[in-house]
Amino acid sequence: MSDAPYYVTGSSATGEVYPRLEIQDLVKKREQFSLFIQAWLNIRDPNSKNVPVAAQHVQIGGIHGLPYENWPGDPAGKQVDANWQGYCNHGSVLFPTWHRPYIMLLEQSIGLEAQRIVKELQNDPKTNWGSDPAASKKAWEQAANELRFPFWDWTSPETGKIGLPPVLYEPTLSLAMPDGSTATVENILAFYDFGSKDLLPTGFATVQEQNPIVGNEISTSYFDEWTRTYRWPNSVQNGVAENYKRLNDTLIGKGQNNGGSYKDILNKVAQLFLYPFQDSRSAMVWDQFSNTRGQSKPSHNFRLTSLESPHNTIHLVVGGSGGHMMDNDYAGPIFFLHHCNVDRLLAFWEYVYPSYWLGKDGFETPTGRKPFTQADGTWSEKNNAILTEVSELEPYRRSDGKYWIANDTRFVGNSTFPKYYTYPPIDGVSLDKPTSDLQRAQDLRTLQRYFGQKPTVVRDRQIPIQQALFTKDSEEALPKGSEPVWNFRQFVITVEVVEHAFENSHFLEVAYTSKDGHTYPIGATAVLSRSHGTQCSACRARQHGNSKVHDTIHIPHDIVVKIMTDHDLNHKDTDDNTLCDTIRKSLKAHIISPDGATRAEATPGEGPRHGQKAIDEAIRPNLRLASANVCAIHDKNEEILHPWELYDWKDHGPVLGNEWVVPT
């Protein structure tokens, strides 16, 4: 094993910038897709003489969780504790930045192997290049240069129609060959095959998913027995079956859960592009956007979700109860395509919000500025290490031998540390052109519309609202130069849950049950966690410290109208308190596993019944109702409206409380 570091430079060997493609678009690039699969298969071979140990897939995968060993690509990595504590950066302002070079590392390994494959073919006189050898050689060489790691776009409308793209789970793949023929191979995108139990990473263990409050077992994952990764497995050691029907039904919205549905996922992503176009609280905006912990408690100001929230949702819905993706100590190949899409959303967010960043000196509080920290540190970070824009992102080293820092990862306008990739435009919004603030504002509105933020459209689909909260003039709170959206108000539920109160990963779902007994799903919060016995130090610190996950669920306008209609509240003389109290007392919630098993529930006005137990107040979910008006700002010429923004926030009090119970 080499003592030299493995520098993370992405696809720098090509010297060019090419787009990362959606996986289904990459399939259409026959030579690129073939090289992608062949190269990824080759770097999975632990005995390959062509791939450096640090660039092998099993070593790259181990950076994120088990086996909790020092990555060979950073053999002289700095160490602050003899006990391995992992590289974990979740629930942290470094969550988006740390994962960017991580995907670049795998992209680099696959890209270099793809180029080696083509050179080997070119140097082999036995290679059959088909009817036009010159053109075929050029096409394959160009494919190797342009190959970038693909993303799975789970925001695509197709997700709501079919669920997972078939290429991610069908048993075989068809690959193009240089002579024009095709070869059928096992689908390595569907799972990772460790080969045998002896080759499982150190630390893989049997994990029992259970409700710690009452101790009942929900499912068991035999990670130390299974020799490949699984999605939605049944809880057996041998003869494991994956339930892709339930996985796809969940994404489509036909499953038992609202959490994980395309509609819920898109609602989360739409919120990401509702942050103020400009705001002086740069670090606080970044804190709320970047992670679910929110150290600066910005949810009281912005009441919007974070990038980590839909990220968590995808982990749960793909893994299912007991699957590798639902526990951050484990994963599977789809992990990287998923995170590539997270990086794509980050890149477009950076483009329209370039001024928001974690900065140098933390965030403002009533008593002065306070730093962002990493609870209990990592293997290379001290306990409660201060996190800033110059924090080192171990174990990734740049070509100059120094660690990547947060500033290096910035996507837009960062020529010092080029990434050698871009993303295809979204509805005409491009990352690759010089732009002005006015253009960014227009592009932000385009992204809002693309991801479903259309307040006037959803308003006009319902009956007009007469109640004063929706119609009265809020000029005192209205941003200067803006135009309000009349007869519309965005109601939200802010969510605060103790991350490890129920151990393992789970959803908190909120719904409204009408007077006729029909249940209308509202939204969900995904809690992604590692098992109780994890070696991840930062995760253990969050477990012991009752760390909280923060999120925001937007209540669809049609459900607000339904509640008002059911309770005969759509009148000018209905006062605000009556309206908001009715909405609060109409909502119910439950905490469930990805497969729908109930861990806890809360029904308005009800306490523990026979066979139920009240939840201790210290770990009880904290939900609150709030609402805001929506406006759009004119440009200086009064011609083009800038993006939608929320203003005139009002807190309407707690939702549920001592009604939370668990089945015994």
Side-chain angles (χ1 to χ4, degrees), residues 487-596:
N487 299 108
F488 182 88
R489 193 167 177 89
Q490 181 63 65
F491 279 83
V492 308
I493 303 162
T494 58
V495 178
E496 183 181 82
V497 291
V498 176
E499 181 178 359
H500 295 276
F502 294 90
E503 294 188 9
N504 305 91
S505 301
H506 54 272
F507 286 109
L508 183 150
E509 297 188 341
V510 180
Y512 166 62
T513 299
S514 62
K515 289 185 175 181
D516 61 9
H518 184 79
T519 297
Y520 297 86
I522 290 175
T525 291
V527 178
L528 174 64
S529 64
R530 301 175 196 249
S531 61
H532 187 70
T534 182
Q535 295 171 250
C536 168
S537 183
C539 304
R540 292 201 306 267
R542 294 198 296 270
Q543 288 176 356
H544 298 152
N546 278 351
S547 175
K548 295 178 175 63
V549 167
H550 299 268
D551 194 23
T552 300
I553 297 172
H554 280 206
I555 304 177
H557 182 66
D558 62 325
I559 292 181
V560 173
V561 174
K562 176 67 176 172
I563 295 173
M564 295 177 70
T565 303
D566 280 356
H567 295 85
D568 194 25
L569 297 176
N570 190 15
H571 305 288
K572 293 180 179 179
D573 56 354
T574 299
D575 67 83
D576 295 353
N577 289 336
T578 299
L579 169 65
C580 297
D581 285 348
T582 302
I583 294 175
R584 285 193 306 108
K585 295 174 182 178
S586 297
L587 306 178
K588 66 178 184 179
H590 61 174
I591 292 173
I592 58 173
S593 300
D595 66 356

Side-chain angles (χ1 to χ4, degrees), residues 285-302:
V285 175
W286 176 262
D287 186 29
Q288 169 117 2
F289 163 77
S290 64
N291 73 101
T292 56
R293 191 155 65 111
Q295 285 182 270
S296 63
K297 301 297 183 289
S299 58
H300 300 300
N301 300 303
F302 305 113

Side-chain angles (χ1 to χ4, degrees), residues 68 85 211 243 301 340 354 370 514 542 549 551 615 643:
Y68 287 96
Q85 298 180 321
N211 190 331
N243 198 333
N301 300 303
C340 194
K370 184 177 180 180
S514 62
R542 294 198 296 270
V549 167
D551 194 23
I615 297 180

Side-chain angles (χ1 to χ4, degrees), residues 221-242:
S221 303
Y222 298 94
F223 295 134
D224 55 348
E225 298 287 339
W226 296 338
T227 58
R228 50 153 289 187
T229 60
Y230 290 104
R231 304 168 189 161
W232 283 75
N234 51 348
S235 295
V236 296
Q237 286 182 262
N238 303 301
V240 181
E242 295 177 293

Side-chain angles (χ1 to χ4, degrees), residues 64 113 169 178 191 226-227 237 258 269 288 310 316 326 403 434 541:
H64 195 267
E113 178 60 15
Y169 65 88
F191 60 91
W226 296 338
T227 58
Q237 286 182 262
N258 177 51
V269 175
Q288 169 117 2
L316 268 65
M326 73 164 289
Y403 284 114

